[in-house]
């Protein structure tokens, strides 16, 4: 584990010696006792989800409400890896949060006897620490999505689930023929929640991505209607960006509801890393999705 990562300072491979990862230039990073590695090397302070947000998200996701999306990502991943036939493929969950999808996919591939290394990267130390507690064999690192600690052309699948997408980094780390799955909110995602919070709720606009070096293969949606009860409503609310920008009276309306019915609407774009690299230089695109 962890040897899929490269040195965030100089980009060379990291070799594991007991509980330390070291590159040939002598940069070293200790594996935390919690079972993850901190590869965050800039002077900027950490951003990302706080411990409270991580806890709310974990409680909600562990209820299984988004399990149908996880199942689809598992079957898509397994089908691609079976067809590809790589010996030890690498899957990276870029913006893994508290590891729900990372651990879920690793567990699924293990049950299917598909050998693979599964890694997750997130800017939030609280989230990565929580991910390591899931106990699944995944390599987790605190690091930037805009400077992934991964070697060029080393990854078979990059997953981006409600995370910022840096096309340039995805293009750099993916092998030719590798896939990028981008999961974003579809037009009706959480519309029932928005109807409670806002007088004039709007549908999510479609996402567009500028991804030089990629070709769009296909797109699909996964949709369900769910009924959310009690404290679970607040957990769901706390996962969304609305939590921070909703007036108190609207939040109170939600708090007084016994149940909430809302559509879940996930949109998935699948891109393939092109063989031909003679493209204009890619640029990063900051884009944040609501959960
Ligand atoms: Zn180094």
């Amino acid at each position: 584990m962890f040897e899929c990562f490269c040195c965030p300072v100089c980009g060379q491979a990291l070799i594991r010696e007991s509980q330390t990862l070291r590159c040939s230039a002598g940069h070293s990073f200790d594996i935390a006792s919690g079972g993850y590695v901190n590869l965050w090397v800039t002077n900027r302070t950490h951003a990302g989800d706080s411990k409270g947000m991580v806890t709310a998200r974990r409680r909600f996701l562990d209820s299984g409400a988004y399990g149908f999306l996880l199942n689809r990502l598992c079957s898509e991943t397994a089908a691609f890896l079976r067809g590809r036939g790589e010996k030890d493929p690498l899957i990276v969950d870029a913006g893994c949060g508290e590891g729900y999808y990372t651990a879920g996919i690793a567990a699924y591939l293990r049950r299917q006897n598909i050998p693979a290394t599964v890694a997750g990267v997130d800017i939030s130390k609280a989230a990565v620490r929580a991910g390591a507690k899931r106990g699944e064999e995944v390599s987790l690192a605190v690091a930037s999505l805009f400077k992934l600690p991964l070697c060029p052309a080393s990854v078979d699948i990059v997953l981006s689930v409600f995370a910022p997408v840096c096309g340039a980094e995805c293009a750099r780390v993916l092998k030719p023929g590798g896939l990028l799955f981008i999961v974003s909110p579809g037009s009706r995602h959480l519309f029932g929640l928005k109807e409670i919070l806002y007088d004039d709720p709007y549908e999510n606009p479609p996402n567009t991505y500028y991804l030089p070096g990629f070709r769009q293969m296909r797109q699909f949606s996964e949709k369900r209607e769910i009924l959310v009860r009690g404290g679970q409503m607040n957990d769901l609310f706390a996962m969304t960006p609305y939590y921070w920008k909703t007036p108190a009276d609207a939040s109170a309306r939600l708090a007084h509801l016994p149940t909430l019915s809302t559509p879940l609407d996930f949109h998935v774009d699948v891109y393939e890393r092109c063989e031909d690299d003679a493209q204009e230089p890619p640029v990063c695109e900051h884009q944040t999705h609501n959960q």
Side-chain angles (χ1 to χ4, degrees):
M1 280 171 73
F2 300 107
E3 288 182 305
C4 56
F5 294 126
C6 73
C7 176
V9 180
C10 68
Q12 295 189 62
L14 287 172
I15 307 297
R16 182 170 180 173
E17 300 163 3
S18 183
Q19 288 304 97
T20 300
L21 300 172
R22 201 183 304 277
C23 76
S24 59
H27 304 119
S28 68
F29 306 89
D30 290 339
I31 297 166
S33 57
Y36 65 95
V37 63
N38 190 343
L39 299 176
W40 181 265
V41 288
T42 71
N43 289 326
R44 280 183 298 145
T45 47
H46 283 276
D49 295 348
S50 67
K51 197 172 173 192
M53 291 165 75
V54 168
T55 306
R57 177 167 303 159
R58 162 153 296 190
R59 265 198 310 260
F60 184 82
L61 291 174
D62 283 351
S63 76
Y66 285 14
F68 66 102
L69 172 63
L70 172 61
N71 291 343
R72 180 70 189 265
L73 294 175
C74 286
S75 59
E76 290 279 340
T77 301
F80 176 71
L81 294 182
R82 278 203 189 95
R84 196 162 164 83
E86 292 268 337
K87 236 172 110 186
D88 182 20
L90 174 57
I91 298 148
V92 175
D93 187 354
C96 63
E98 52 68 67
Y100 174 71
Y101 301 100
T102 335
I105 288 170
Y108 181 83
L109 295 177
R110 183 170 40 75
R111 289 196 300 271
Q112 298 290 314
N113 291 317
I114 299 174
T117 298
V118 181
V121 172
D122 202 278
I123 192 177
S124 162
K125 194 196 274 189
V128 169
R129 191 184 286 136
K133 284 188 186 148
R134 287 192 174 275
E136 197 53 54
E137 193 165 298
V138 290
S139 299
L140 295 175
V142 181
S144 169
L145 299 185
F146 294 86
K147 194 181 177 213
L148 289 167
L150 296 159
C151 294
S154 64
V155 181
D156 296 85
I157 295 177
V158 172
L159 285 175
S160 174
V161 185
F162 290 96
V165 176
C166 177
E169 276 299 84
C170 294
R172 183 181 67 80
V173 303
L174 273 166
K175 297 173 187 171
L179 294 189
L180 166 62
F181 289 86
I182 303 176
V183 182
S184 62
S187 61
R188 299 278 296 168
H189 188 57
L190 299 182
F191 201 77
L193 176 63
K194 290 201 240 179
E195 283 180 315
I196 303 299
L197 298 176
Y198 305 121
D199 295 333
D200 191 16
Y202 60 91
E203 295 197 342
N204 297 314
N207 289 292
T208 53
Y209 303 98
Y210 175 61
L211 295 169
F214 286 94
R215 139 176 87 197
Q216 180 151 27
M217 303 292 285
R218 59 200 166 90
Q219 42 188 301
F220 58 87
S221 291
E222 285 291 333
K223 301 181 187 190
R224 289 277 167 91
E225 187 81 21
I226 58 163
L227 189 67
V228 189
R229 293 185 172 81
Q232 213 188 12
M233 278 190 287
N234 199 55
D235 288 343
L236 175 61
F237 185 34
M239 286 167 62
T240 69
Y242 319 131
Y243 192 69
W244 305 105
K245 55 189 185 197
T246 300
D249 59 331
S251 302
R253 279 203 297 277
L254 182 68
H256 287 103
L257 277 185
T259 59
L260 168 74
S261 177
T262 185
L264 302 177
D265 180 2
F266 300 104
H267 182 82
V268 185
D269 288 288
V270 187
Y271 290 86
E272 183 188 51
R273 181 74 175 96
C274 300
E275 303 272 344
D276 177 18
D277 211 3
Q279 306 244 359
E280 56 186 300
V283 293
C284 270
E285 178 185 340
H286 277 82
Q287 189 156 4
T288 308
H289 301 308
N290 55 320
Q291 297 276 335

